[in-house]
Amino acid sequence: MDRSISGHIIVCGIVKGIKNLILPLRSRFQTGPKKPIVILSNDNLGDENMNGFTYIWNELMRFEDIFLIRGSALQQGDLDKARAHKATAVIILSKSYEMSSSSMNHNSLDADAIFMYKQIDAHTKNPIIVTELTTINAIGFIESDKGESFQ
């Protein structure tokens, strides 16, 4: 990845159908230059089966200006590698219900996403942060101290 990259979009995590998230960002009908996309994840993107889903990096590589960084948004060093301080937007994907055990409390599915949001919000000032949550009750944990409100 180019060390001078800026104005990019960071996607934290991998979910089933991530290609459907990337498609509109790479639409030929999109106006203006396409923003580079950095996927920040420790999840495997290879041919092997991951939690019942098959992720093939070759599908994502067909898109222009997509980069993969092995790491976590919970680690400041990994956010620095992804140049989060220069990003336009950060998309935090929540762990899905399919990836959780049936005995897992669904409120705990959002814990990583909430902690990622807090880490990014505390150490960056520019990007828009979009956070996927599995339960509506979790939104109270990411309400900003900056006077923002969520609906």
Side-chain angles (χ1 to χ4, degrees):
M1 187 173 88
D2 185 354
R3 302 295 279 159
S4 65
I5 193 170
S6 66
H8 56 295
I9 299 168
I10 299 173
V11 178
C12 301
I14 299 293
V15 295
K16 181 179 181 180
I18 192 167
K19 184 172 126 180
N20 296 323
L21 173 68
I22 305 299
L23 276 171
L25 299 173
R26 289 294 176 259
S27 170
R28 62 183 167 162
F29 301 109
Q30 182 183 14
T31 60
K34 292 177 176 45
K35 297 180 184 301
I37 298 170
V38 175
I39 298 173
L40 177 61
S41 177
N42 280 323
D43 294 328
N44 196 330
L45 289 174
D47 292 332
E48 55 273 355
N49 195 323
M50 180 183 79
N51 296 318
F53 310 128
T54 302
Y55 292 98
I56 300 175
W57 177 238
N58 291 335
E59 284 188 18
L60 294 178
M61 282 182 41
R62 289 189 290 180
F63 297 107
E64 190 176 318
D65 288 328
I66 293 192
F67 306 94
L68 171 66
I69 295 178
R70 296 263 181 219
S72 169
L74 296 171
Q75 302 296 320
Q76 186 58 43
D78 294 336
L79 287 171
D80 291 342
K81 285 182 203 171
R83 299 183 51 83
H85 62 287
K86 296 285 188 176
T88 299
V90 179
I91 301 170
I92 302 170
L93 301 176
S94 181
K95 294 184 187 218
S96 67
Y97 290 112
E98 296 91 5
M99 294 175 70
S100 68
S101 66
S102 59
S103 63
M104 182 180 237
N105 180 346
H106 290 298
N107 289 329
S108 65
L109 288 174
D110 290 328
D112 278 351
I114 292 166
F115 286 123
M116 286 179 196
Y117 175 89
K118 294 283 190 183
Q119 176 77 1
I120 294 163
D121 190 47
H123 293 96
T124 59
K125 56 184 171 188
N126 295 330
I128 296 167
I129 305 171
V130 178
T131 308
E132 177 187 34
L133 299 171
T134 58
T135 59
I136 190 70
N137 297 336
I139 201 161
F141 293 105
I142 64 169
E143 284 187 323
S144 176
D145 296 331
K146 300 173 187 170
E148 298 169 344
S149 64
F150 300 93
Q151 296 185 20

